[in-house]
Amino acid sequence: MADPTLLMPQRQREVQESDVADQHRRVLSRPKEDLLAEMRVRHRGRSREVIELFTQARFQTCIHAFEVLTPPNPDYMQLIKTLDIPSLLVIGDVGSAVSHEVAEELAGLNQHLKIAQIPEAGHGLPYDQPERFSAVVQTFLRSVKEMN
């Protein structure tokens, strides 16, 4: 799992009551070039191609996609408890959806869950630190292979 949006019920309500859908509506009303320029400044470490793909995706995201934010979302703590295979949760340290504290709490719920934190990465950690992300995943997969 790469920094999934595991939100506690209170945070789910806060997100639903926020203006996140309205923010998306405002994005859709802007020229694509403006958003592209803003994304280039905000995500300087990401490749031009990735920024262009993300910008294009934003304009293709239907406003109804935000309905998934309506609580109650699945109880992720219960989901984590049911994992019965080796699992990896990778988080960043800058603006991640899953904090280090929540990740540690989740790891305490299930012996199969391993946690890895990648420095200088946020919610888009495979794009922020692709080499580090790849190395973490490969190391985990090798460890699973060795267990068998």
Side-chain angles (χ1 to χ4, degrees):
M1 297 174 277
D3 196 39
T5 52
L6 305 176
L7 304 177
M8 297 293 287
Q10 175 59 34
R11 183 68 178 131
Q12 290 175 17
R13 284 187 287 283
E14 290 170 5
V15 170
Q16 183 194 29
E17 294 167 2
S18 76
D19 67 342
V20 69
D22 290 333
Q23 287 177 30
H24 184 66
R25 281 188 189 90
R26 287 191 295 275
V27 164
L28 295 177
S29 70
R30 296 172 57 191
K32 184 178 178 180
E33 294 75 26
D34 289 355
L35 180 62
L36 190 57
E38 180 184 317
M39 296 287 281
R40 285 184 184 130
V41 170
R42 191 175 347 156
H43 301 289
R44 294 182 191 274
R46 293 183 182 175
S47 74
R48 183 176 202 88
E49 179 184 35
V50 166
I51 290 173
E52 289 173 4
L53 289 171
F54 267 87
T55 301
Q56 180 180 347
R58 276 303 284 274
F59 281 95
Q60 292 175 338
T61 301
C62 175
I63 196 68
H64 298 294
F66 290 88
E67 292 171 6
V68 74
L69 298 174
T70 304
N73 284 323
D75 180 348
Y76 66 86
M77 290 202 170
Q78 188 59 39
L79 293 172
I80 295 297
K81 287 178 185 178
T82 64
L83 293 173
D84 63 352
I85 59 171
S87 302
L88 176 66
L89 172 60
V90 186
I91 60 172
D93 67 347
V94 182
S96 289
V98 178
S99 70
H100 181 74
E101 294 77 21
V102 169
E104 290 295 323
E105 181 180 358
L106 295 174
L109 296 174
N110 191 316
Q111 66 179 1
H112 297 291
L113 183 64
K114 304 301 177 214
I115 306 297
Q117 187 171 32
I118 298 178
E120 299 175 30
H123 184 56
L125 54 94
Y127 309 103
D128 295 340
Q129 295 291 339
E131 293 84 14
R132 289 180 181 166
F133 180 74
S134 177
V136 164
V137 171
Q138 288 178 17
T139 298
F140 172 74
L141 292 174
R142 277 192 296 275
S143 73
V144 171
K145 185 177 178 182
E146 291 169 3
M147 290 171 36
N148 294 325

